[in-house]
Amino acid sequence: MDRRLIWLAVGAFATSTVAFVFAGLLPLISASAKISIAEAGRLMTVFSLSYAIGTPILSTLFGAVDRRRVIALALLCFIAGNALAAASGSYLGLLGAQIVMGTAAGLFASTAQAAAIALSSPDHRARAVSAVLGGTTLAVAIGAPLGALIGNLAGWRSTYLFIAALAFFCLAVLWLRLPHGISGVKLSLKERVMVIGRPGVLPSLVVTFLYLTGGFAVICYFGPLATQGAGMPVAMVPAMLLVFGLGAIIGNYSSGQLADRLGATRLVALSLTGFIAVCLLLTAVLEFAPSHLAGPLLIALMLPWGIIGWMFPPAQASRLVAVAPELASLTMPLNVSAMYFGIALGSFVGGQALELAPPAELGLIAAVFSLAALGVLAASTRQARRRGFQPG
């Protein structure tokens, strides 16, 4: 494997850690900035919306620019956003930092994948993209708990400084190692978006959106789940994230093998069904388990949740590619935008719910969104079969 792909993956690790570490920083930011949990959660909503909206727009604007320069620009802006967050003395300053980080992270992700494809031979392109996306998985497994631990030990501002330093190191290495002249693809925003009209694409994006909405209605609020729901100290949140991340590694690794055996559509359905069960079990634990058992049981649930949850993204991506293989370069960025629109809505809905109900109810909300995703999946699968298309 080209070693330059490793540094693209490290860049993906740094830019993705911000999204997943927020669950561990939420109680710390809320207490430090003297804002409610819901207000702190809106920072994640703003980051995700900036990512989802900014990625296709910036990819269009910089589509024909040398990939090396675009990667450098994206990382510079990302570093600036983290520095702004660390130095911010107000809620508005934090919101502005989230906008900068979200748009920069989205631009880096789309450009890094394009660069990985350009650096690889045609028969190794899928492996190259997988290597870069592996940085995101490691962000869940290692970056989020490590960032939360740093936040608990040295303050949440230190987490942003750590991520900025890591991104700066990646910037220096990639600027030296990436070759000049990696050209992009110049497409209009209309050309990028019109692919939604292809049969099967929109329902697949809706499934992604609904699933991530339900997932992040809970994931974004792991801190309140632990402290308010299970009565654990905030210092235990990094442990929760670590167990969840270990499950994510297992789920991500096993997804490809299971998809080959069961089919991607069936695996997505199983992932959605399993996620609904875990969410209902989470609510039952927080509602009915004795106080001395609620915390350990909540942590134990993180492993199967991570496994089930991270079986979904690779299998869902495989389904979307199968719908229109020749348009994969366009449908994959749209799928990422659907993911971050879902994260934005999930973090907003979860924050609003916490202002009206105890943390245990978040599991029910997540289950409802996943049940809706399962319904869309079933309907779109039946429609595809009527068209004579056999989904994977």
Side-chain angles (χ1 to χ4, degrees):
M1 182 178 69
D2 192 320
R3 292 186 179 181
R4 292 170 294 190
L5 298 179
I6 296 174
W7 292 106
L8 289 171
V10 174
F13 171 83
T15 54
S16 299
T17 291
V18 168
F20 297 106
V21 77
F22 202 80
L25 299 183
L26 192 64
L28 304 175
I29 293 175
S30 173
S32 173
K34 295 181 174 57
I35 56 178
S36 68
I37 289 292
E39 287 176 310
R42 289 183 194 121
L43 296 171
M44 183 63 186
T45 302
V46 169
F47 173 92
S48 303
L49 280 176
S50 301
Y51 194 117
I53 297 171
T55 299
I57 294 174
L58 293 178
S59 296
T60 300
L61 290 175
F62 294 101
V65 180
D66 182 1
R67 302 294 85 188
R68 178 171 174 263
R69 294 182 181 276
V70 177
I71 284 173
L73 175 64
L75 287 176
L76 280 172
C77 292
F78 180 76
I79 293 164
N82 278 272
L84 178 61
S88 178
S90 69
Y91 183 62
L92 285 177
L94 280 171
L95 283 173
Q98 297 300 315
I99 292 172
V100 174
M101 282 188 283
T103 52
L107 179 60
F108 175 85
S110 61
T111 309
Q113 291 179 39
I117 291 173
L119 291 170
S120 306
S121 58
D123 56 328
H124 288 95
R125 286 176 178 172
R127 188 181 303 176
V129 173
S130 177
V132 175
L133 292 178
T136 301
T137 306
L138 289 177
V140 180
I142 300 173
L146 178 60
L149 180 62
I150 291 171
N152 275 279
L153 293 176
W156 60 268
R157 298 177 191 275
S158 299
T159 300
Y160 283 113
L161 291 176
F162 164 74
I163 294 171
L166 181 61
F168 181 80
F169 182 67
C170 288
L171 170 61
V173 173
L174 289 171
W175 184 256
L176 294 173
R177 295 295 308 278
L178 288 180
H180 294 277
I182 303 178
S183 58
V185 178
K186 183 63 175 178
L187 293 171
S188 68
L189 186 60
K190 181 179 179 180
E191 288 174 311
R192 292 176 183 272
V193 174
M194 286 302 290
V195 70
I196 292 175
R198 286 289 295 268
V201 172
L202 181 58
S204 295
L205 297 178
V206 172
V207 170
T208 297
F209 169 74
L210 291 172
Y211 178 76
L212 269 294
T213 299
F216 273 81
V218 183
I219 292 171
C220 188
Y221 299 99
F222 273 173
L225 280 177
T227 57
Q228 301 173 23
M232 294 190 295
V234 70
M236 289 302 295
V237 176
M240 282 181 60
L241 292 171
L242 179 61
V243 176
F244 181 80
L246 291 174
I249 291 177
I250 297 170
N252 187 75
Y253 176 76
S254 60
S255 180
Q257 300 180 47
L258 288 173
D260 288 341
R261 294 181 183 179
L262 304 175
T265 297
R266 186 173 297 175
L267 183 58
V268 168
L270 288 174
S271 180
L272 287 168
T273 304
F275 182 74
I276 292 169
V278 169
C279 288
L280 295 177
L281 189 56
L282 180 146
T283 296
V285 165
L286 296 183
E287 288 278 11
F288 305 114
S291 57
H292 67 284
L293 290 178
L297 287 174
L298 181 62
I299 292 177
L301 268 178
M302 293 298 105
L303 184 66
W305 190 357
I307 294 172
I308 292 167
W310 277 81
M311 281 182 180
F312 176 89
Q316 177 66 354
S318 295
R319 288 187 66 249
L320 194 52
V321 169
V323 168
E326 74 284 4
L327 298 174
S329 61
L330 299 179
T331 55
M332 288 298 96
L334 289 175
N335 191 51
V336 172
S337 286
M339 290 174 64
Y340 276 87
F341 274 122
I343 293 171
L345 181 60
S347 59
F348 177 78
V349 169
Q352 295 301 108
L354 283 177
E355 292 189 332
L356 304 171
E361 304 304 315
L362 293 179
L364 296 178
I365 293 171
V368 168
F369 277 100
S370 293
L371 185 61
L374 193 59
V376 173
L377 176 68
S380 63
T381 301
R382 286 195 298 269
Q383 188 176 37
R385 285 171 178 160
R386 285 197 294 269
R387 297 197 314 265
F389 174 72
Q390 185 66 33

